[in-house]
């Protein structure tokens, strides 16, 4: 085999390893879901954890989205569809699978304040809409991720942040945003998001 052919073959083999997640020391790592891509594609979500049913659109209390994301290790499914009106920022725990695709009707929109995924490592978020709005915390991003690792967002939309919309800053690593829409912020300086490594 000539050196140039060997280089091409080695590059192709390396790409295959990257795509499947295979390593020299073990089998392929399972993807977060079958079409997961990018750096966050191996987020584990809540594998082996409990299933939590969101049964109300109320901001807080039993069966609410806020209660659902307050503890790690949950697959969150939605028995209701509609608008969740936040009265304060929502802080998301680690090791969650937010399965917005389970909501009936037109799905779930989270409105009224920021939804923070800071330190929400190994979390999967699919088919949700995030709308911060004028009532949200001043100067805050709609969806901030300041630290944590292995997060994937698929088929989400984010808009109306009071600063930026979707921001990955400081110590966050292995984050994927795929098949999604990041739209307008509410201020003239607003950007779709800030991607700032350490």
């Amino acid at each position: 085999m000539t050196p140039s052919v060997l280089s091409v073959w080695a590059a192709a083999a390396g790409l295959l390893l990257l795509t499947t997640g295979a390593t020299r020391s073990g089998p392929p790592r399972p993807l977060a879901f079958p079409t997961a891509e990018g750096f966050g594609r191996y987020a584990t979500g809540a594998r082996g954890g409990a299933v939590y049913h969101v049964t109300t659109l109320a901001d807080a209390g039993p069966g609410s989205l806020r209660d659902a994301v307050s503890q790690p290790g949950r697959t969150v499914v939605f028995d209701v569809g509609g608008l969740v009106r936040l009265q304060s920022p929502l802080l998301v725990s680690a090791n969650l699978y937010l399965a917005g695709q389970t909501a009936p009707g037109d799905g779930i929109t989270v409105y009224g304040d920021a939804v923070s995924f800071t330190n929400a490592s190994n979390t999967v978020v699919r088919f949700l809409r995030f709308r911060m709005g004028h009532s949200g915390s001043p100067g805050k991003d709609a969806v901030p991720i300041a630290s944590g690792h292995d997060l994937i967002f698929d088929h989400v939309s984010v808009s109306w942040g009071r600063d930026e919309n979707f921001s990955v800053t400081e110590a966050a690593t292995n984050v994927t945003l795929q098949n999604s829409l990041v739209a307008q912020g509410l201020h003239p300086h607003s950007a779709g998001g800030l991607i700032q490594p350490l």
Side-chain angles (χ1 to χ4, degrees):
M1 204 177 284
T2 66
S4 60
V5 172
L6 183 59
S7 297
V8 170
W9 181 87
L15 180 60
L16 180 61
L17 288 173
L18 177 65
T19 303
T20 63
T23 63
R24 293 180 187 181
S25 60
R29 294 165 60 187
L31 296 173
F33 48 89
T35 57
E37 298 179 313
F39 292 112
R41 67 190 180 277
Y42 300 125
T44 56
R47 287 185 195 134
V51 175
Y52 187 105
H53 289 260
V54 173
T55 57
T56 178
L57 297 174
D59 173 64
S64 68
L65 177 61
R66 188 178 298 276
D67 192 45
V69 302
S70 67
Q71 299 295 319
R74 291 173 169 173
T75 294
V76 179
V77 298
F78 295 85
D79 297 347
V80 294
L83 184 66
V84 176
R85 292 181 178 269
L86 300 179
Q87 303 301 312
S88 61
L90 183 63
L91 307 177
V92 177
S93 297
N95 300 99
L96 296 178
Y97 188 128
L98 302 184
Q101 69 269 30
T102 61
D106 291 330
I108 291 288
T109 299
V110 184
Y111 173 79
D113 217 324
V115 180
S116 175
F117 289 88
T118 294
N119 292 322
S121 297
N122 280 309
T123 288
V124 179
V125 183
R126 302 189 74 196
F127 295 92
L128 289 174
R129 296 182 293 269
F130 300 98
R131 306 283 183 267
M132 186 176 188
H134 286 292
S135 62
S137 302
K140 297 298 183 181
D141 297 338
V143 174
I145 310 167
S147 57
H149 59 86
D150 297 286
L151 296 98
I152 186 165
F153 298 80
D154 174 61
H155 287 87
V156 304
S157 62
V158 186
S159 63
W160 303 346
R162 296 201 64 186
D163 190 20
E164 270 60 62
N165 287 314
F166 184 91
S167 292
V168 182
T169 58
E170 299 174 20
T173 59
N174 295 338
V175 177
T176 291
L177 176 67
Q178 65 175 44
N179 304 312
S180 296
L181 177 67
V182 177
Q184 76 277 9
L186 293 180
H187 296 288
H189 75 271
S190 292
L194 298 176
I195 311 299
Q196 297 175 306
L198 281 174

